Amino acid sequence: MATLRGLLRVRTVTGRWRGVRDRQCLLRNTIRCQSDFTSLEEKPQFPGASADYVDSLEFIQPNVISGIPIYRVMDRQGQIINPSEDPKIPKEKVLKFYHTMTLLNTMDRILYESQRQGRISFYMTNYGEEGTHVGSIAALNDTDLVFGQYREAGVLMYRGYPLDLFMAQCYGNALDPGKGRQMPVHYGCMERNFVTISSPLATQIPQAVGAAYAFKRENADRAVICYFGEGAASEGDAHAAFNFSATLECPVIFFCRNNGYAISTPTSEQYRGDGIAARGPGYGLLSIRVDGNDVFAVYNATKEARRRAVAENQPFLVEAMTYRIGHHSTSDDSSAYRSVDEVNYWDKQDHPISRLRHYMLHQGWWDDEQEKIWRKKSRKMVMEAFEEAERKQKPKLEHMFTDVYSEMPVQLKKQEQSLMKHLKLYGEHYPLDSYEK
Amino acid sequence: MAAIRVAVARCGDRLTRNVFQWNQKAARCPVRTVAHFTFQPDPEPTQYGVTQKMNLFQAIQSALDNTLSRDPTAVIFGEDVAFGGVFRCTVGLRDKYGKDRVFNTPLCEQGIVGFGIGVAVAGTTSIAEIQFADYIFPAFDQIVNEAAKYRYRSGDLFNCGSLTIRAPWGCVGHGALYHSQSPEAFFAHSPGIKVVIPRSPVQAKGLLLSCIEDKNPCIFFEPKILYRAAVEQVPLDPYYLPLSQAEVVQEGTDVTLLSWGTQVHVIREVATMAQEKLGLSCEVIDLRTILPWDIETVCKSVVKTGRLLISHEAPLTGGFAAEISSTVQEECFLNLEAPIARVCGYDTPFPHIFEPFYIPDKWKCYDALRKMINY
């Protein structure tokens, strides 16, 4: 109660602090503005902040009990709660949402199993977070650039990335545009403006800000969206990015998937503030928290953030609350640190896919028969791509040496020749047959 | 002096005496600002048009000016670059090209490099400044894991080839631990980036322009002790000096001396000393590019001279001389007449008051050379 009282007092005081000048600042769409220097008034003149004096000692309390509210458009039964918030997305587009989410889910199940059988070396599923991918990317233009972490395959799928190429990357076969160099699920696609994934967490966040700055200078009507988990948000690079985006006024949307865990680490060991969204205002970012299992809530928030980010050249932060239903990766058994009941709740009772299905059933856009047909069809598509990918050879061996630089340095050429010479003598001890000649 | 005069005027005799005693003591102290090298300007380059007398910071500024004027996408950013930079390298550029092209960032090196990578991924020319090479380490992850591997890991779908990172580098007489470092060897172990260090204003401009144009992320280290000290005629128009090419700055037959940055001037002086005192003909080579380095020029020289001395300011263990030394030993085993000598900084942090004893000065190089010749 003491905490609450403290909060109330702070809020009241804040209300009184907000003067006419502040409102003018807000009108001019400035987050913070400094007053003109004057020595006549008894007003603070510090260059570092725009604030009034206060004559009683009061620490600002973080508001973690009653945090930033979670924006929701439809309930767990797929009913629109507030009609004025209904994005009224046409049937075809909603079907595309659903097809993408479920196709991703089918691909996840098959590739997860294939890793269990040792057919690919590694995999990470997207269970429970399909809604965040589809809802956000559908709200963007196709030319908007995407920087991701690794659990955003639905974004690529929504943009039409072929199943063959997902599989090619996981198998590192000759069809893989990445030439088999990175671990599975490190996808990338130039034509679909999806920057290649890398393993180091959060490194993409300041990069996304740089790309957004370049777009701003080009007047390109392009935004950048950058996905990351709540764990990655603890990295120094996240801090760098939030701050740079605000001071350099970049059209970027930071999209945080807060799924409760970073591998085994629960959020209580990740942070003590009100999640990630509450950090935004500290950086001068416009911020919102949404229900990540509500594809329409995600869509609405991203759509508006995109519109304003480009129009006003300012960054936005969207924190999508969700739950990581699957294991962290195929190298992880999540039952070692959380209960099956907890997982089941999210899987059975609050899942982005089932929620959208309820909505479609209400609309009369979907039925059990269609569900059955689509399940069968999507499974067939995935299995076909899967078998095809498995049959393909690995890329040519020379691709171990290319693309280190735009050109090949002399010493690297020599190292390549030395490997080739070596293989002439000892080739039988290497899996040469699996690689293209 | 003005301060002392005021003090004398205001206070009694005692203070006056103290001040004067203190002053006399100070006067007895050895002047410790004597440079450990003598800058030797190169002959004026005539092939690139009109030249102007410039020091190293002006040559850098000129290269950046050329770039901004010819490449409308190019942007320059870092800590305090807007007002001209703490070393004056970006002076006047914001006024000339606008504040969206030359701007300050928040004080955060990992952010600067990450941001710079992003600008380059979008296809535009990105020139980042790290205020001192000593402070590049917070960006080590972005440089080594990201910038260096961008093209390779994406199968060339994406790259950050238009990124250049500039940073003041090397000892400066009194920079101590964090204003003196030479971190090139840390980066030499990272395939995918280029690391370049010039020895003079002419070299600086030509090599920096090549870095900016190069299709790979480059780190350009500027010997800060030369910013004002090195003056020579520099072409006003843009020109390019090739990367990954060492330069033989003085031909010789008895021994090869190899270095980069300020240290090239040290070994040049050593070559003169060796000629005068020992009658030796030294071949002096400026490596210029640390990664990927010019094995051919160095080995060709050693094949001829049979002896090699490498010198750098950075600590010995794990320093880049180790890489050169082992490669030359492999390539020129039959030609080597003496063990390869490495004259480097000691394996300690870079100290403040001990700097004159720390650096691999001409006497240390000369002595190592003398011993090598008598081997």
Side-chain angles (χ1 to χ4, degrees):
Chain A
M1 267 326 275
T3 314
L4 267 176
R5 267 206 310 277
L7 279 173
L8 287 174
R9 281 174 68 179
V10 169
R11 280 186 172 168
T12 331
V13 174
T14 317
R16 185 158 53 78
W17 285 344
R18 189 167 293 151
V20 177
R21 203 188 61 233
D22 266 14
R23 251 173 270 134
Q24 283 169 346
C25 290
L26 287 171
L27 281 179
R28 288 209 313 273
N29 205 13
T30 320
I31 304 295
R32 180 176 70 81
C33 80
Q34 285 161 12
S35 55
D36 296 330
F37 183 84
T38 160
S39 56
L40 298 175
E41 288 172 74
E42 185 60 11
K43 281 174 111 184
Q45 299 293 342
F46 308 105
S50 171
D52 287 333
Y53 288 120
V54 59
D55 57 14
S56 60
L57 178 69
E58 191 96 54
F59 290 100
I60 306 294
Q61 294 270 2
N63 193 353
V64 290
I65 311 290
S66 154
I68 294 173
I70 301 164
Y71 171 68
R72 204 159 71 132
V73 171
M74 62 178 161
D75 64 17
R76 283 173 210 166
Q77 282 71 47
Q79 303 275 11
I80 300 290
I81 300 160
N82 176 356
S84 68
E85 293 293 321
D86 184 352
K88 298 203 172 68
I89 299 170
K91 181 183 172 187
E92 291 67 37
K93 199 161 176 175
V94 172
L95 283 178
K96 186 176 173 185
F97 285 13
Y98 190 74
H99 284 145
T100 306
M101 288 159 73
T102 46
L103 184 61
L104 174 64
N105 188 267
T106 305
M107 183 177 86
D108 273 350
R109 284 171 203 280
I110 288 168
L111 287 179
Y112 182 81
E113 277 312 310
S114 84
Q115 195 286 330
R116 298 282 92 170
Q117 296 163 14
R119 296 160 93 163
I120 58 174
S121 64
F122 178 79
Y123 195 69
M124 300 177 107
T125 63
N126 301 279
Y127 302 148
E129 299 182 47
E130 296 91 342
T132 60
H133 305 177
V134 168
S136 57
I137 201 65
L140 298 184
N141 293 357
D142 286 346
T143 51
D144 291 339
L145 190 62
V146 180
F147 284 81
Q149 179 164 305
Y150 50 60
R151 213 183 294 284
E152 296 91 10
V155 167
L156 254 184
M157 196 163 264
Y158 188 85
R159 285 197 171 171
Y161 199 57
L163 285 169
D164 292 347
L165 293 185
F166 280 111
M167 305 284 174
Q169 201 283 327
C170 290
Y171 272 96
N173 71 27
L175 192 67
D176 174 21
K179 301 174 189 165
R181 290 169 184 150
Q182 289 212 86
M183 281 174 78
V185 312
H186 291 55
Y187 311 115
C189 180
M190 183 71 185
E191 301 85 66
R192 290 173 182 81
N193 294 300
F194 187 95
V195 179
T196 302
I197 299 297
S198 74
S199 308
L201 287 181
T203 49
Q204 80 279 13
I205 317 181
Q207 294 172 12
V209 177
Y213 187 86
F215 290 167
K216 176 175 83 165
R217 283 206 64 236
E218 283 168 19
N219 268 323
D221 185 32
R222 286 177 82 181
V224 175
I225 189 164
C226 180
Y227 297 91
F228 52 93
E230 91 287 350
S234 294
E235 292 281 1
D237 275 332
H239 161 68
F242 299 158
N243 200 24
F244 276 52
S245 71
T247 61
L248 299 172
E249 299 167 353
C250 300
V252 60
I253 301 159
F254 299 114
F255 193 102
C256 179
R257 298 175 290 97
N258 189 337
N259 63 19
Y261 290 92
I263 306 189
S264 72
T265 307
T267 53
S268 61
E269 292 167 24
Q270 199 64 248
Y271 52 73
R272 285 298 164 94
D274 173 24
I276 309 303
R279 294 179 199 170
Y283 290 99
L285 302 182
L286 280 102
S287 309
I288 193 168
R289 176 174 279 158
V290 303
D291 182 344
N293 297 339
D294 177 349
V295 71
F296 297 144
V298 174
Y299 176 86
N300 279 357
T302 316
K303 184 110 188 147
E304 179 64 1
R306 199 259 170 217
R307 186 187 69 76
R308 291 190 58 186
V310 172
E312 300 161 16
N313 280 323
Q314 65 167 323
F316 283 78
L317 172 62
V318 179
E319 182 184 28
M321 306 311 289
T322 175
Y323 187 84
R324 194 194 80 211
I325 292 173
H327 301 300
H328 164 70
S329 73
T330 49
S331 310
D332 170 55
D333 173 11
S334 67
S335 67
Y337 50 82
R338 61 182 188 180
S339 76
V340 178
D341 289 348
E342 183 184 310
V343 177
N344 273 341
Y345 166 79
W346 295 98
D347 195 18
K348 308 288 181 241
Q349 301 191 33
D350 192 359
H351 197 286
I353 291 180
S354 55
R355 208 192 289 192
L356 184 62
R357 187 162 58 236
H358 286 311
Y359 172 84
M360 289 157 65
L361 292 171
H362 300 316
Q363 301 291 319
W365 295 347
W366 199 249
D367 57 34
D368 290 348
E369 183 60 21
Q370 281 168 297
E371 176 75 17
K372 223 166 89 187
I373 294 168
W374 168 242
R375 280 199 180 203
K376 213 170 147 189
K377 188 180 165 198
S378 59
R379 196 174 159 77
K380 186 161 171 277
M381 282 157 56
V382 174
M383 284 310 293
E384 276 171 10
F386 175 77
E387 282 160 12
E388 186 70 21
E390 204 165 40
R391 275 199 298 274
K392 279 217 162 46
Q393 283 196 307
K394 308 290 179 211
K396 284 184 192 162
L397 218 46
E398 66 177 60
H399 288 310
M400 189 164 85
F401 296 95
T402 56
D403 302 332
V404 177
Y405 293 92
S406 61
E407 73 285 345
M408 195 181 289
V410 189
Q411 42 266 64
L412 193 51
K413 186 113 223 153
K414 267 176 83 176
Q415 290 173 20
E416 185 190 2
Q417 286 159 356
S418 121
L419 172 65
M420 296 309 164
K421 237 188 217 161
H422 175 77
L423 292 175
K424 280 219 171 83
L425 273 174
Y426 297 94
E428 59 188 307
H429 304 295
Y430 295 86
L432 277 175
D433 293 343
S434 332
Y435 294 79
E436 276 193 341
K437 293 285 166 317
Chain B
M1 273 321 279
I4 292 174
R5 272 207 305 276
V6 172
V8 172
R10 282 185 186 171
C11 307
D13 282 347
R14 210 171 130 194
L15 178 63
T16 317
R17 242 187 351 260
N18 284 347
V19 168
F20 272 97
Q21 276 172 4
W22 171 80
N23 229 17
Q24 278 164 2
K25 266 186 203 156
R28 280 202 302 276
C29 283
V31 182
R32 59 169 311 284
T33 48
V34 173
H36 68 284
F37 67 96
T38 309
F39 175 74
Q40 306 191 33
D42 286 321
E44 180 181 349
T46 48
Q47 66 270 46
Y48 308 116
V50 186
T51 65
Q52 191 179 304
K53 209 171 194 185
M54 293 185 201
N55 62 26
L56 193 117
F57 84 63
Q58 290 162 333
I60 300 290
Q61 194 269 2
S62 170
L64 297 174
D65 191 354
N66 289 158
T67 302
L68 290 175
S69 88
R70 284 160 15 122
D71 176 357
T73 74
V75 289
I76 296 172
F77 50 89
E79 295 157 14
D80 307 300
V81 300
F83 86 110
V86 295
F87 289 110
R88 316 311 294 147
C89 293
T90 51
V91 101
L93 296 177
R94 181 183 51 169
D95 290 343
K96 194 165 168 188
Y97 298 101
K99 60 185 191 328
D100 65 320
R101 301 190 64 192
V102 181
F103 51 93
N104 290 338
T105 64
L107 203 165
C108 178
E109 285 77 13
Q110 63 195 98
I112 292 171
V113 174
F115 178 88
I117 292 171
V119 171
V121 166
T124 61
T125 302
S126 169
I127 305 167
E129 177 179 307
I130 299 294
Q131 203 158 66
F132 286 85
D134 311 64
Y135 306 127
I136 204 168
F137 299 109
F140 202 69
D141 183 42
Q142 286 284 355
I143 294 171
V144 174
N145 275 331
E146 295 291 313
K149 297 172 173 57
Y150 231 97
R151 188 188 299 273
Y152 186 78
R153 73 181 185 208
S154 69
D156 205 15
L157 295 180
F158 295 92
N159 71 79
C160 60
S162 56
L163 168 68
T164 303
I165 302 165
R166 299 171 38 241
W169 167 96
C171 77
V172 68
H174 52 272
L177 286 81
Y178 307 111
H179 299 83
S180 308
Q181 291 182 59
S182 305
E184 63 273 16
F186 286 103
F187 297 102
H189 198 53
S190 181
I193 48 171
K194 296 191 176 181
V195 182
V196 180
I197 308 173
R199 68 165 187 278
S200 69
V202 171
Q203 293 286 313
K205 180 170 174 180
L207 288 169
L208 177 56
L209 284 169
S210 294
C211 283
I212 292 168
E213 295 270 313
D214 195 83
K215 302 276 175 263
N216 299 283
C218 295
I219 302 178
F220 189 76
F221 286 128
E222 299 161 4
K224 64 175 108 47
I225 202 166
L226 299 180
Y227 272 140
R228 287 167 193 276
V231 183
E232 60 187 5
Q233 291 296 128
V234 180
L236 282 170
D237 283 340
Y239 61 95
Y240 301 90
L241 296 175
L243 304 185
S244 293
Q245 257 185 46
E247 186 189 6
V248 179
V249 291
Q250 180 184 316
E251 293 202 10
T253 51
D254 297 329
V255 60
T256 303
L257 306 181
L258 174 63
S259 194
W260 49 90
T262 321
Q263 198 67 9
V264 173
H265 302 293
V266 174
I267 59 168
R268 269 180 145 175
E269 220 174 321
V270 172
T272 312
M273 288 161 74
Q275 178 73 58
E276 285 166 1
K277 294 175 197 279
L278 306 168
L280 282 178
S281 159
C282 297
E283 182 143 299
V284 177
I285 302 181
D286 177 2
L287 189 65
R288 301 199 290 193
T289 301
I290 306 300
L291 185 74
W293 66 288
D294 182 358
I295 298 176
E296 199 191 335
T297 301
V298 175
C299 288
K300 220 168 113 187
S301 172
V302 177
V303 164
K304 180 175 71 174
T305 61
R307 286 182 169 84
L308 174 63
L309 181 149
I310 313 158
S311 182
H312 59 60
E313 284 176 19
L316 175 75
T317 303
F320 197 63
E323 177 61 36
I324 299 170
S325 165
S326 72
T327 304
V328 170
Q329 180 267 135
E330 256 175 54
E331 301 284 326
C332 313
F333 189 68
L334 295 176
N335 306 91
L336 282 171
E337 291 166 27
I340 295 168
R342 290 183 287 158
V343 186
C344 307
Y346 300 111
D347 289 340
T348 68
F350 200 106
H352 186 219
I353 56 163
F354 305 117
E355 177 166 329
F357 302 94
Y358 176 86
I359 51 172
D361 63 10
K362 62 183 176 188
W363 297 108
K364 290 178 188 171
C365 292
Y366 172 76
D367 189 51
L369 173 61
R370 193 179 55 81
K371 287 174 180 154
M372 182 168 65
I373 288 300
N374 295 329
Y375 182 82

